[in-house]
Amino acid sequence: MDSMYKYRKYRIEREVLNEQRLEELAQRKTDAQPSLINHLKESIRCTVPKLKHGVLRTFPALYWLPKYSVRDYGMPDLISGISVGIMHLPQGMAYALLASLPPVFGLYTSLYPALIYFFFGTSRHISIGTFAVLSIMVGSVTERLAPDVDFLKVNGTNVTTEVDIAARDSYRVQVAAATTVLGGLIQVVLGLIKFGFVGTYLSEPLVRAYTTAAALHAVVAQLKYVFGVSPARFNGPLSLVYTLKDVFLLLPQSHFPTLVVSLVSLVLLIAAKEINAFLSPRLPVPIPVELITIIAATLISNYGHLNRNYTIQVVGEIPSGLSSPIVPDGSIFREVIGDAFALALVAYAISISLGKTFALKHGYRVDSNQELVALGLSNTVGAFFQSYAVCASMSRSLIQESTGGKTQMAGIASAIIVLVTILKLGPFFQELPKVSYTTNCSSGMYCLRELEGDVQTILRHCSSMVLWLVTWVSTLLFNLDLGLAAAIMFALLTVIFRTQLPTYSLLGNVDGSELYVDIEIHEEAREIPGITIFRSSATVYFANAELYLEALKEKSGLDITKMIIYKKREDAKEKRRQKREERWAQRQAKKEVMFKHKDEENSAEGKNSTAFVKPNTRDGQLRWEYLKGGNLDGTDFAWTSEQMDGDATTRGSSSKDTQSRDLERISLGSLGKWTWDIHSIILDLSTANFIDTVAAKTMKNIFQDFGEIDIDVYLAGCQASVVQQLELGHFFSGSITKKHLFASVHDAVLYCLDHQKCDAATVPSMADAATVRSACR
């Protein structure tokens, strides 16, 4: 008896809840919804709490700055700020060269934007300033609009090959400032219209692959300083390949003293970083190897006269003091609007990815829209002081976080270090060889380590590996802006592909519980006889609605098209049988009336004989004969009439019995499954977070198609928003009501079993579900 399936095992001590019952139990708001005019009035109404919330949201520093604890955060922020400020110096000057600008403008870029971000930013750990990726993008714009050939000096009537560096650099600064201010305004506008949601599509594999490829771009861009050659500047797709090809072709022309200095600097840098990594657990702050390298290179170059004796390029004049603000040239906007938009998106992508990483680690929230506004204001205001495009730097942000930085006060400390350098220490770096800090900031070891760590992580997940590879390859081949666009598009396509090709499964019940799991994965799950529970791993919408219907037919084993055709054919046969029986009954009634009338005539004539009519075949022809005084009775006559009706199969048996016998003749292959194996189908929509009109129409078709073969369909686990969308799509009708929607799969199962009035004594065990025929019909 224990092995027998019992209906009461599914019983629970509560009522079965469908959507209609839930609405009756729910406490609905009786207040009328506010009108659109009232809603607008309420939105523009100014109150003290609303004003306070708006100010704190616009200036996040006002939220945490009054609570700032100097005792707890002062020293960690100071140490972190000094460490990051020291890194700003070599990186600012080096990345300015990548942007084809004088090194001092890299220091400006490390100063002003950091001060602006302090008031408007929401991340506590990222370091705003120069970054290799943006510097390369800005450099492509400046060299495109201000190439060297446009600034050749004129000697009388002859044009020399000497370049007017002062005029060229001055115009390049205007181009960079115009591009930066336009990109900043684009970021501010995007932040105000809540465009920050795009940051959710920047997954970790995408960001890591993009930054790794961008680092390789930075390495290639500085090869000309390492070898002392002057390759052409390429833009657009395959620019990296063309640059490498040009550098390799120019290798025989390499400047040997420059190559020696670069190799020595690179070896010392790698050795110092390895020592720093080894001693980092024992050191309160990292050793500033970049600053030490720059100071040493400056001293050697100054006292060794490297520029005069070996023609090694040095930084040159670095003016002391701050420059006055200048309004960017608006006439350049039209030529750089495309580049500005690309800069805006790339800068935001890098900054928000780093900001969210640190926020998740330290347990606070980063506002993606406010980050757009803060980054846009940093770029816009900084452009008036000859800064170029900025974003968060991965290396500096890691240093700021690892050295104990708690808030953006560390950014203020680093800005002070840069300010002191600009005001007092600028002339000291005039003899610094350019190659010494370009190799500092583009160590190939860092790229290889990042690549190795990424590969080890992503190889464990196929989808992440594909996204990483596509992002990395597209960024290398299509350049930084087009590579990011291609990566985001591919990431979106992967989401579409996953929803278009979800996993479909049939659910079974775990004995003794209300849990329903995939019967193909879980051995303990048992299919409930007569009930098919179907679930998709993704929401149903226009892209996969047709696939959903096909999967349901395949999983249920029912060929709806064949079964509907067969049912219609059987219905047509049944109607023909009924018409034949009606005609037969009419003829019999007519004949009985005729005989009764004849009897009355015979009685009136006083005759005792009775006339009968029977068929007689003579000479191959059918003739009717009247018999008088015969022995035929009503039964014989009825039998004779049946012979003339021509359809003896309908006599002596009902049409339902005949249909049952016909159904038994249908093979398992023609219908896929016996029609009475399934009496109910439950669609588990707990995974659906929305439903569109196409999916709603598909659901309605499922109800209609399965209803034609006498199978009931029910929905389970619908969220409230899905139910509202079904109502808006006019899904419910006279035949489909909210009684077909249930709070859970178990509620739907209980209703199906109650509705079919299953007999516990006649239903076999769940293990023999395939042998069930009509116990629940």
Side-chain angles (χ1 to χ4, degrees), residues 459-477:
L459 284 179
R460 304 173 186 173
H461 305 282
C462 180
S463 58
S464 298
M465 179 184 66
V466 174
L467 179 59
W468 193 97
L469 289 175
V470 170
T471 303
W472 190 73
V473 173
S474 61
T475 304
L476 287 179
L477 297 182

Side-chain angles (χ1 to χ4, degrees), residues 262-367:
S262 62
L263 291 178
V264 171
S265 301
L266 184 60
V267 170
L268 293 177
L269 173 67
I270 294 175
K273 283 192 173 183
E274 290 296 328
I275 296 174
N276 200 12
F278 179 75
L279 298 177
S280 59
R282 307 175 186 177
L283 298 175
V285 294
I287 299 175
V289 291
E290 291 86 358
L291 182 63
I292 294 175
T293 304
I294 287 179
I295 294 175
T298 302
L299 294 175
I300 294 174
S301 176
N302 187 31
Y303 291 102
H305 305 288
L306 298 182
N307 183 26
R308 186 175 61 215
N309 297 334
Y310 303 100
T311 63
I312 294 177
Q313 294 184 1
V314 295
V315 171
E317 182 181 359
I318 298 180
S320 299
L322 299 175
S323 60
S324 59
I326 301 175
V327 178
D329 188 359
S331 62
I332 308 177
F333 288 171
R334 182 179 299 178
E335 301 179 72
V336 299
I337 185 170
D339 303 282
F341 192 80
L343 279 169
L345 292 184
V346 171
Y348 171 69
I350 296 172
S351 299
I352 194 63
S353 60
L354 288 175
K356 286 188 174 182
T357 300
F358 292 121
L360 182 64
K361 182 178 180 180
H362 294 276
Y364 63 92
R365 179 178 177 272
V366 171
D367 189 342

Side-chain angles (χ1 to χ4, degrees), residues 125-195:
H125 294 90
I126 63 175
S127 174
I128 295 295
T130 57
F131 190 58
V133 175
L134 296 187
S135 299
I136 296 173
M137 297 177 69
V138 172
S140 65
V141 180
T142 55
E143 292 198 1
R144 186 183 78 242
L145 298 182
D148 291 341
V149 295
D150 292 348
F151 297 92
L152 299 178
K153 292 183 178 180
V154 179
N155 186 8
T157 58
N158 299 324
V159 178
T160 64
T161 59
E162 186 177 357
V163 178
D164 189 349
I165 296 178
R168 181 201 64 182
D169 290 346
S170 176
Y171 187 69
R172 285 182 176 180
V173 169
Q174 296 182 31
V175 172
T179 307
T180 301
V181 73
L182 186 57
L185 292 176
I186 292 174
Q187 289 174 330
V188 172
V189 173
L190 293 178
L192 294 177
I193 63 175
K194 310 299 181 184
F195 189 74

Side-chain angles (χ1 to χ4, degrees), residues 11 23 84 115 146 167 218 235 251 260 358 380 493 533 585 592 598 610 616 637 670 725-726 738:
R11 285 297 184 188
E23 289 184 354
V84 174
L115 298 176
N235 299 313
L251 285 181
V260 171
F358 292 121
T380 303
L493 288 177
I533 307 172
E592 289 179 354
K598 193 67 177 178
T610 303
N616 186 12
F637 182 80
S670 63
Q725 291 165 2
L726 289 174
K738 290 187 177 181

Side-chain angles (χ1 to χ4, degrees), residues 83 95 106 188 224 226 306 424 446 461 474 662 723:
S83 302
Y95 292 157
V188 172
K224 61 181 181 180
V226 174
L306 298 182
K424 300 295 182 182
Y446 173 76
H461 305 282
S474 61
D662 290 340
V723 177

Side-chain angles (χ1 to χ4, degrees), residues 712-728:
D712 299 326
V713 182
Y714 303 95
L715 306 181
C718 294
Q719 301 182 31
S721 59
V722 174
V723 177
Q724 293 176 0
Q725 291 165 2
L726 289 174
E727 291 176 342
L728 294 175

Side-chain angles (χ1 to χ4, degrees), residues 287-575:
I287 299 175
V289 291
E290 291 86 358
L291 182 63
I292 294 175
T293 304
I294 287 179
I295 294 175
T298 302
L299 294 175
I300 294 174
S301 176
N302 187 31
Y303 291 102
H305 305 288
L306 298 182
N307 183 26
R308 186 175 61 215
N309 297 334
Y310 303 100
T311 63
I312 294 177
Q313 294 184 1
V314 295
V315 171
E317 182 181 359
I318 298 180
S320 299
L322 299 175
S323 60
S324 59
I326 301 175
V327 178
D329 188 359
S331 62
I332 308 177
F333 288 171
R334 182 179 299 178
E335 301 179 72
V336 299
I337 185 170
D339 303 282
F341 192 80
L343 279 169
L345 292 184
V346 171
Y348 171 69
I350 296 172
S351 299
I352 194 63
S353 60
L354 288 175
K356 286 188 174 182
T357 300
F358 292 121
L360 182 64
K361 182 178 180 180
H362 294 276
Y364 63 92
R365 179 178 177 272
V366 171
D367 189 342
S368 56
N369 293 309
Q370 182 61 27
E371 283 296 298
L372 262 175
V373 175
L375 200 60
L377 292 176
S378 299
N379 281 315
T380 303
V381 177
F384 284 87
F385 294 92
Q386 291 81 54
S387 297
Y388 63 91
V390 298
C391 69
S393 168
M394 179 178 294
S395 57
R396 294 196 306 271
S397 299
L398 289 174
I399 292 297
Q400 182 168 323
E401 188 265 345
S402 61
T403 53
K406 303 297 182 181
T407 66
Q408 276 298 326
M409 288 297 293
I412 296 296
S414 64
I416 293 175
I417 298 296
V418 176
L419 178 62
V420 172
T421 303
I422 295 174
L423 295 178
K424 300 295 182 182
L425 303 179
F428 174 78
F429 295 104
Q430 291 181 359
E431 294 297 322
L432 173 66
K434 291 183 178 180
V435 68
S436 62
Y437 57 79
T438 54
T439 52
N440 256 347
C441 301
S442 59
S443 174
M445 182 67 69
Y446 173 76
C447 298
L448 295 177
R449 283 185 176 180
E450 286 294 312
L451 180 60
E452 179 183 359
D454 286 345
V455 170
Q456 291 178 354
T457 302
I458 63 177
L459 284 179
R460 304 173 186 173
H461 305 282
C462 180
S463 58
S464 298
M465 179 184 66
V466 174
L467 179 59
W468 193 97
L469 289 175
V470 170
T471 303
W472 190 73
V473 173
S474 61
T475 304
L476 287 179
L477 297 182
F478 300 148
N479 219 341
L480 298 172
D481 48 356
L482 295 179
L484 178 62
I488 294 177
M489 290 298 297
F490 183 79
L492 295 177
L493 288 177
T494 58
V495 176
I496 296 175
F497 288 152
R498 290 181 181 181
T499 57
Q500 276 191 308
L501 302 174
T503 301
Y504 299 104
S505 56
L506 294 181
L507 306 184
N509 178 258
V510 178
D511 192 16
S513 70
E514 299 183 20
L515 182 63
Y516 292 82
V517 293
D518 190 349
I519 60 177
E520 296 181 359
I521 299 177
H522 302 274
E523 295 181 356
E524 66 275 14
R526 295 293 182 267
E527 185 178 0
I528 300 177
I531 302 177
T532 295
I533 307 172
F534 180 74
R535 180 173 67 188
S536 170
S537 62
T539 188
V540 186
Y541 68 114
F542 68 92
N544 60 9
E546 185 175 353
L547 298 176
Y548 183 88
L549 178 58
E550 296 299 327
L552 174 60
K553 293 178 181 179
E554 180 182 355
K555 290 288 185 179
S556 63
L558 300 176
D559 193 330
I560 301 298
T561 304
K562 290 184 178 180
M563 296 185 72
I564 290 177
I565 293 174
Y566 176 79
K567 187 176 183 300
K568 290 181 178 180
R569 186 170 65 247
E570 291 300 315
D571 290 343
K573 289 182 179 180
E574 179 64 20
K575 291 180 180 180

